Amino acid sequence: MLIVKKFGGSSVADPERINNVADRCIEDYKKGHKVVVVLSAMGKTTDALLSKAQTINPNAPKREVDMLLATGEQTSVALMAMAVAAKGVPAISLNAFQVAMHTTSVYGDARFKRIDTERIYNELDSGRMVIITGFQGINRRDDLTTLGRGGSDTTAVALAAALRADACEIYTDVEGVYTADPRIVSKARKIKEITYDEMLELATLGAKVLHNRSVGLAKKYRVQLVVRSSLNREEGTIVKEVTDVEGMLVNGVAVDKNAARIAVLGVKNEPGIAFRIFDELAKHNINVDVILQSIGRDDTKDISFTVDQTQAKDAVACLRENQERLTIKTIKEEKNVAKLSVVGAGMQSNAGVAAKMFEALYDVGVNIRMIATSEIRITVLIDLEDVDVAMRAVHDKFFHD
Ligand code: ADP
Ligand code: ASP
Ligand code: MG
């Protein structure tokens, strides 16, 4: 079997954990499997590197930021290869350049285009365990790129797809995917199996246990994923196309604390204005999520929407540049908001999910600022300070015993 095993930052945070991961990988190697290991940077290394960059230059060129961040994963793979070698098993570490993992050019948000597999196969064939940097790639200028925070999961899935691996295992610091973040909701339950679509919604809406793009790739290339703990042997969660578990109304509750709300006030109440505003944002690669438009009064209306906090500055700048053309009187930006979502394919055929969610929020006195729905999710925008209370209340409403 060819197995891709990915370990996140906390799983390789110190030498003891690196040794623990080495032992687990060696177990599979000794069973005769071909083992490809994908690692994230140790512990909070990526955060530390980012704050160093911020101190030196708050507007650091994005190319140089990626050059810096890529060192985090490179440290992990080198140390891991040393740990494995010390245990008598041949291993080699490779970075994105050495493998040749080709991505688009966008620094900080690159996407895989193609992965060369020759070097990896050669190393595996000569009996080595291959340990590869997560989170990074190279673009057509041969510059290092990164895939966005949490991107190592995506590296693992992309490699599993490119190598046609028999298994792709994501090891982390919790025992699997839960009905809510187990660090916020103590009653959260581990989910045995979840579909790609549901996992994609959960990950996109804030459950960072998997990078959302890794789930999209897994669905596209039919890579079945297992999410489990690197610290114990408990069974994890399987992410796949169809699950045997029927009848779940809601699969999980997710929170995204990285949302920002932007309001454009007093725009002309005429056809084409919304198009012009969102077209301008799209041209600047700004992803908009929840949108709310007020009923027009007099000749004007207000539109508010949410974006990722990392894109808020760019969004406001792009609106300001075009303020006159877009007929905007005032632009407001607010960061102290969060998105709370319930996700589940079961809600397609069940009325009343929204009412139940809103009741849970009413019970704890949390005000809803905006609402958005799709076939399998309901999202509300609330104040950041309410988020933990709201998440527990909503979770307990759907998952009481
Ligand atoms: P890694 O470094 O292994 O990639 P992450 O910190 O990126 O780990 O993701 C794991 C974390 O995701 C957990 O510690 C947990 O707090 C958080 N999390 C959020 N939502 C969920 C969920 N629904 N199920 C499990 N974990 C979740
Ligand atoms: N080290 C990167 C990050 O902290 C990638 C990852 O952990 O997946 O975002
Ligand atoms: Mg992660």
Side-chain angles (χ1 to χ4, degrees):
M1 270 200 356
L2 196 162
I3 308 175
V4 174
K5 300 168 92 69
K6 180 260 169 179
F7 295 86
S10 51
S11 304
V12 293
D14 55 44
E16 195 188 324
R17 293 204 177 173
I18 289 183
N19 271 310
N20 161 55
V21 169
D23 287 337
R24 286 192 87 148
C25 296
I26 287 173
E27 256 175 53
D28 280 335
Y29 178 91
K30 293 215 159 139
K31 284 183 196 153
H33 300 311
K34 292 190 186 319
V35 180
V36 173
V37 183
V38 176
L39 300 181
S40 297
M42 293 168 69
K44 304 225 169 295
T45 302
T46 308
D47 290 329
L49 289 170
L50 277 172
S51 68
K52 260 186 211 160
Q54 181 75 19
T55 320
I56 298 275
N57 178 353
N59 291 312
K62 290 189 170 147
R63 177 196 182 274
E64 304 308 333
V65 174
D66 278 3
M67 187 76 175
L68 179 71
L69 293 188
T71 63
E73 272 65 20
Q74 201 162 314
T75 305
S76 304
V77 293
L79 291 174
M80 186 62 68
M82 293 175 200
V84 174
K87 293 170 194 287
V89 169
I92 184 165
S93 65
L94 298 173
N95 63 18
F97 195 82
Q98 292 165 314
V99 172
M101 293 192 270
H102 304 272
T103 68
T104 54
S105 309
V106 191
Y107 300 108
D109 194 25
R111 282 151 204 247
F112 282 120
K113 290 195 337 202
R114 178 169 53 86
I115 294 181
D116 296 347
T117 50
E118 197 186 334
R119 175 83 190 260
I120 303 176
Y121 280 131
N122 286 344
E123 299 294 352
L124 289 171
D125 287 343
S126 45
R128 296 196 177 97
M129 185 188 294
V130 182
I131 304 165
I132 301 177
T133 47
F135 183 52
Q136 58 180 255
I138 49 167
N139 66 16
R140 65 190 149 84
R141 282 176 227 112
D142 278 351
D143 279 345
L144 285 161
T145 55
T146 63
L147 309 176
R149 297 305 304 271
S152 297
D153 301 323
T154 300
T155 308
V157 175
L159 279 167
L163 297 166
R164 296 192 170 73
D166 301 288
C168 183
E169 304 165 351
I170 310 287
Y171 290 84
T172 183
D173 58 356
V174 289
E175 286 176 15
V177 180
Y178 283 70
T179 49
D181 187 337
R183 297 189 194 285
I184 302 177
V185 180
S186 56
K187 289 188 202 155
R189 301 178 196 163
K190 187 160 72 183
I191 302 170
K192 217 170 143 58
E193 294 185 344
I194 186 166
T195 64
Y196 293 123
D197 289 333
E198 288 161 339
M199 189 64 235
L200 189 58
E201 290 274 355
L202 274 181
T204 306
L205 295 167
K208 67 165 188 167
V209 61
L210 283 177
H211 192 229
N212 71 338
R213 256 189 274 132
S214 73
V215 187
L217 270 187
K219 178 178 158 76
K220 185 168 173 194
Y221 294 101
R222 294 282 183 272
V223 178
Q224 186 166 310
L225 303 178
V226 181
V227 182
R228 55 188 303 195
S229 170
S230 63
L231 303 168
N232 65 40
R233 308 262 160 179
E234 293 299 321
E235 235 176 79
T237 301
I238 298 173
V239 189
K240 57 186 199 177
E241 184 63 31
V242 196
T243 61
D244 304 330
V245 196
E246 281 284 353
M248 287 280 275
L249 189 60
V250 161
N251 282 93
V253 182
V255 150
D256 180 357
K257 297 183 183 176
N258 289 317
R261 175 175 178 270
I262 294 176
V264 293
L265 309 177
V267 297
K268 266 205 185 135
N269 190 16
E270 63 180 32
I273 288 292
F275 160 66
R276 266 141 69 190
I277 291 175
F278 291 107
D279 184 52
E280 197 56 48
L281 293 165
K283 280 187 189 136
H284 286 75
N285 288 320
I286 291 159
N287 294 317
V288 172
D289 189 27
V290 186
I291 301 174
L292 186 75
Q293 177 176 298
S294 70
I295 298 171
R297 61 187 134 63
D298 305 327
D299 288 334
T300 66
K301 61 187 173 188
D302 305 332
I303 300 177
S304 32
F305 55 90
T306 62
V307 294
D308 217 57
Q309 266 183 26
T310 51
Q311 295 198 309
K313 210 162 113 188
D314 289 352
V316 171
C318 129
L319 293 172
R320 278 211 204 296
E321 256 167 51
N322 298 279
Q323 191 158 353
E324 214 164 301
R325 188 175 63 82
L326 300 173
T327 74
I328 302 170
K329 281 213 188 83
T330 319
I331 302 169
K332 277 194 187 158
E333 185 198 337
E334 231 181 310
K335 288 216 168 109
N336 291 325
V337 292
K339 284 192 288 187
L340 174 69
S341 310
V342 294
V343 172
M347 69 175 75
Q348 287 179 77
S349 49
N350 271 282
V353 175
K356 210 165 163 179
M357 181 185 192
F358 303 159
E359 187 187 16
L361 294 169
Y362 167 70
D363 289 345
V364 287
V366 170
N367 190 32
I368 300 170
R369 320 254 314 243
M370 288 162 95
I371 302 169
T373 63
S374 82
E375 281 180 344
I376 66 167
R377 66 129 161 173
I378 299 167
T379 300
V380 295
L381 194 77
I382 57 176
D383 289 336
L384 187 60
E385 60 178 23
D386 290 337
V387 97
D388 290 0
V389 168
M391 193 181 195
R392 278 181 216 120
V394 170
H395 181 272
D396 293 352
K397 193 73 152 185
F398 287 98
F399 296 95
H400 49 75
D401 305 307

